[in-house]
Amino acid sequence: RRVNEPRGIQCCVGGHGREADGYAVFELGSTKAVAYVYGPMEAKQRSQSLHDRATLSCTLSTATFATVARNFGRKGDRQSQERSMWLQQTFESAILLEQYPRSQIRLFVQILQAEGSPVAVAINAATLALADAGIPMRDLVVACTAGMLGRKPAMDLSREEEQAGGAEILLASLTGAKRVSLLEVESKVPEGNAFTQLYEMALQGCHAIAEQMRTCLLEHASEGFSLRKSRRKA
């Protein structure tokens, strides 16, 4: 691929026996994540509920077989907890929680294959699963990374590109509203206009990925409509 293009995108929404209210799989290159949404549901404990909005809990973990480093990103470790917090802060600003007072929404995301930009892939999987569950959001939350390869910025880094040690940013954006919901910087960004270049590259990636995600959701909605129509005829 070119440095100003994301890796190949594949996504799947719905299905999986419908144990969860929302389900999605998102792949970016060889990086893959699955997301499950449960709710809105009544909070099991009064201490977990708020009278004016829903509460959101997010858990992000990495499967033991997802990466060469077997102890990386397991549920409960410090890095996983930090990234779960990123996920929660990102979606608390996007979901219309005030529409579900005294309720709870639970979001679980697992990275099945970590070959670069795993948190961005996890965020995109979560967005699709929330949409599948019918959770209203201000806009689609879409994430992408950008990093310096030598002196040039590149979009959507693979694991090998991340290991090169250059500066990298992770950007999550409400693409339609052109609003940033998460911005994380890895390594020191070179002086000059390097940060601006990385920011614009990541934002461009978010817009490109958003188009594919919208297409995926429209196709899923169309399939659901066709299925209901055929059942009515039967």
Side-chain angles (χ1 to χ4, degrees):
R1 78 185 197 282
R2 298 173 184 172
V3 293
N4 63 344
E5 293 177 345
R7 292 169 292 169
I9 299 168
Q10 293 188 54
C11 50
C12 172
V13 180
H16 200 68
R18 302 308 302 182
E19 296 95 344
D21 296 293
Y23 170 82
V25 177
F26 186 85
E27 297 180 52
L28 202 51
S30 297
T31 303
K32 182 177 182 178
V34 58
Y36 303 85
V37 174
Y38 299 88
M41 66 180 79
E42 184 179 354
K44 294 181 179 179
Q45 299 178 11
R46 183 173 293 182
S47 60
Q48 295 177 333
S49 66
L50 298 172
H51 74 279
D52 59 344
R53 65 183 180 90
T55 57
L56 174 68
S57 64
C58 298
T59 303
L60 173 59
S61 62
T62 301
T64 54
F65 52 79
T67 180
V68 175
R70 297 292 181 185
N71 62 345
F72 168 78
R74 292 183 183 178
K75 181 179 177 181
D77 72 16
R78 185 172 180 178
Q79 187 179 55
S80 183
Q81 290 174 351
E82 182 183 23
R83 291 178 169 185
S84 295
M85 191 181 300
W86 292 356
L87 213 67
Q88 181 157 337
Q89 292 172 347
T90 298
F91 285 102
E92 278 183 339
S93 65
I95 298 172
L96 300 176
L97 295 172
E98 62 274 13
Q99 293 194 12
Y100 302 102
R102 299 183 179 87
S103 300
Q104 183 181 30
I105 299 170
R106 302 173 69 190
L107 171 62
F108 297 90
V109 186
Q110 186 172 49
I111 298 164
L112 301 178
Q113 205 165 337
E115 293 296 329
S117 308
V119 179
V121 172
I123 290 172
N124 296 335
T127 295
L128 292 174
L130 286 163
D132 182 48
I135 306 294
M137 293 182 282
R138 291 175 174 82
D139 199 355
L140 291 183
V141 181
V142 183
C144 186
T145 61
M148 299 300 294
L149 295 182
R151 295 184 179 182
K152 293 184 178 181
M155 181 188 299
D156 177 32
L157 300 187
S158 66
R159 183 162 59 91
E160 290 77 12
E161 291 166 343
E162 288 178 336
Q163 290 175 342
E168 179 185 354
I169 70 168
L170 165 66
L171 177 70
S173 169
L174 279 73
T175 52
K178 297 181 179 179
R179 186 174 124 197
V180 173
S181 55
L182 177 69
L183 179 61
E184 293 292 333
V185 181
E186 296 276 348
S187 302
K188 185 178 179 181
V189 178
E191 295 180 359
N193 65 344
F195 177 80
T196 302
Q197 289 180 323
L198 289 176
Y199 179 87
E200 291 177 350
M201 182 71 79
L203 193 61
Q204 180 183 341
C206 286
H207 287 292
I209 294 168
E211 288 300 315
Q212 296 277 357
M213 290 171 63
R214 288 191 182 96
T215 299
C216 179
L217 288 171
L218 287 171
E219 288 176 352
H220 174 63
S222 178
E223 289 173 4
F225 177 77
S226 299
L227 182 61
R228 288 193 297 271
K229 192 174 181 180
S230 62
R231 285 175 177 174
R232 286 174 184 171
K233 287 182 178 179

